[in-house]
């Protein structure tokens, strides 16, 4: 039951951000699917003890792969799917808690939270870039689909 709740809420969050991002109406479901797929990878890996950073890295990698597939299949810019897809992974609450602790002069907790938020953000970026690098290698070596 918990998985269904996570599937639904991550889909809605990603699709809703697609609306805010002015994504084309026909791509909103695909935006939701990319976010939902990434969140489920994150949730399963994180709850099974792989760690938040690694789970975020793998989830953002999957989001980038799904976004590349959707972009090719539907002739739409990849950024529409990848930006909407990573929204569930963004550590906004963690960054807020870090800033709140800085304001409250609890610097040790604030630094710890800020470092974790930075590492999660870095994992998102590395996952997206790593997927693009692999895509470029495949395209240049002619192992993948024709350009």
């Amino acid at each position: 039951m918990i998985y269904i709740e996570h599937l639904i809420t991550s889909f809605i969050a990603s699709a809703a951000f697609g609306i805010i991002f002015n994504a084309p109406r026909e791509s909103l479901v695909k935006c939701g699917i990319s976010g939902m797929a990434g969140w489920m990878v994150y949730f399963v890996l994180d709850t099974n003890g792989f760690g938040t950073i690694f789970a975020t890295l793998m989830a953002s990698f999957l989001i980038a792969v799904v976004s590349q597939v959707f972009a090719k299949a539907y002739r739409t810019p990849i950024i529409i799917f990848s930006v909407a897809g990573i929204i569930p992974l963004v550590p906004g609450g963690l960054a807020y808690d870090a800033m709140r602790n800085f304001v409250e002069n609890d610097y040790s907790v604030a630094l710890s939270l800020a470092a974790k938020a930075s590492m999660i953000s870095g994992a998102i970026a590395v996952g997206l870039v790593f997927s693009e690098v692999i895509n470029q290698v495949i395209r240049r070596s002619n192992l993948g689909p024709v350009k």
Side-chain angles (χ1 to χ4, degrees), residues 1 42 51 77 107 115 129 131 145:
M1 184 65 182
Y42 168 81
Y107 297 116
V129 169
S131 173

Short mmCIF file of all heavy atoms in Angstrom, two decimals, residues 1 42 51 77 107 115 129 131 145:
data_model
loop_
_atom_site.label_atom_id
_atom_site.label_comp_id
_atom_site.label_asym_id
_atom_site.label_seq_id
_atom_site.Cartn_x
_atom_site.Cartn_y
_atom_site.Cartn_z
N MET A 1 0.82 -1.20 0.00
CA MET A 1 0.00 0.00 0.00
C MET A 1 0.86 1.26 0.00
O MET A 1 0.53 2.23 -0.66
CB MET A 1 -0.93 -0.04 1.22
CG MET A 1 -1.89 1.08 1.28
SD MET A 1 -3.01 0.98 -0.11
CE MET A 1 -3.97 2.39 0.16
N TYR A 42 14.54 5.61 -6.08
CA TYR A 42 15.07 6.23 -4.87
C TYR A 42 14.48 5.58 -3.62
O TYR A 42 15.21 5.21 -2.69
CB TYR A 42 14.76 7.74 -4.87
CG TYR A 42 15.03 8.38 -3.53
CD1 TYR A 42 16.31 8.73 -3.17
CD2 TYR A 42 14.00 8.59 -2.62
CE1 TYR A 42 16.58 9.29 -1.93
CE2 TYR A 42 14.25 9.14 -1.39
CZ TYR A 42 15.53 9.49 -1.05
OH TYR A 42 15.78 10.03 0.18
N GLY A 51 21.53 3.89 1.08
CA GLY A 51 21.94 5.25 1.38
C GLY A 51 21.25 6.27 0.48
O GLY A 51 20.96 6.00 -0.68
N PRO A 77 11.95 18.37 -26.45
CA PRO A 77 13.22 18.60 -25.74
C PRO A 77 13.33 17.78 -24.46
O PRO A 77 12.36 17.65 -23.70
CB PRO A 77 13.19 20.10 -25.42
CG PRO A 77 12.24 20.67 -26.43
CD PRO A 77 11.23 19.60 -26.71
N TYR A 107 25.00 25.76 14.60
CA TYR A 107 25.85 25.64 13.42
C TYR A 107 26.28 24.21 13.11
O TYR A 107 26.43 23.85 11.94
CB TYR A 107 27.07 26.54 13.56
CG TYR A 107 26.72 28.00 13.64
CD1 TYR A 107 26.99 28.74 14.77
CD2 TYR A 107 26.08 28.62 12.57
CE1 TYR A 107 26.64 30.08 14.84
CE2 TYR A 107 25.72 29.95 12.64
CZ TYR A 107 26.01 30.67 13.77
OH TYR A 107 25.66 31.99 13.84
N ALA A 115 25.57 20.07 4.26
CA ALA A 115 26.46 19.16 3.54
C ALA A 115 25.67 18.02 2.89
O ALA A 115 25.93 17.65 1.74
CB ALA A 115 27.52 18.60 4.49
N VAL A 129 24.24 13.97 -15.72
CA VAL A 129 25.38 14.10 -16.63
C VAL A 129 25.89 12.73 -17.06
O VAL A 129 26.21 12.52 -18.23
CB VAL A 129 26.50 14.93 -15.96
CG1 VAL A 129 27.79 14.86 -16.74
CG2 VAL A 129 26.06 16.37 -15.80
N SER A 131 24.31 9.95 -17.40
CA SER A 131 23.40 9.39 -18.40
C SER A 131 23.64 10.01 -19.77
O SER A 131 23.64 9.32 -20.79
CB SER A 131 21.95 9.61 -17.97
OG SER A 131 21.07 9.22 -18.99
N PRO A 145 20.54 3.55 -31.53
CA PRO A 145 19.68 3.89 -32.66
C PRO A 145 20.33 4.95 -33.55
O PRO A 145 21.17 5.71 -33.13
CB PRO A 145 18.40 4.42 -32.00
CG PRO A 145 18.73 4.64 -30.58
CD PRO A 145 19.98 3.88 -30.26
#
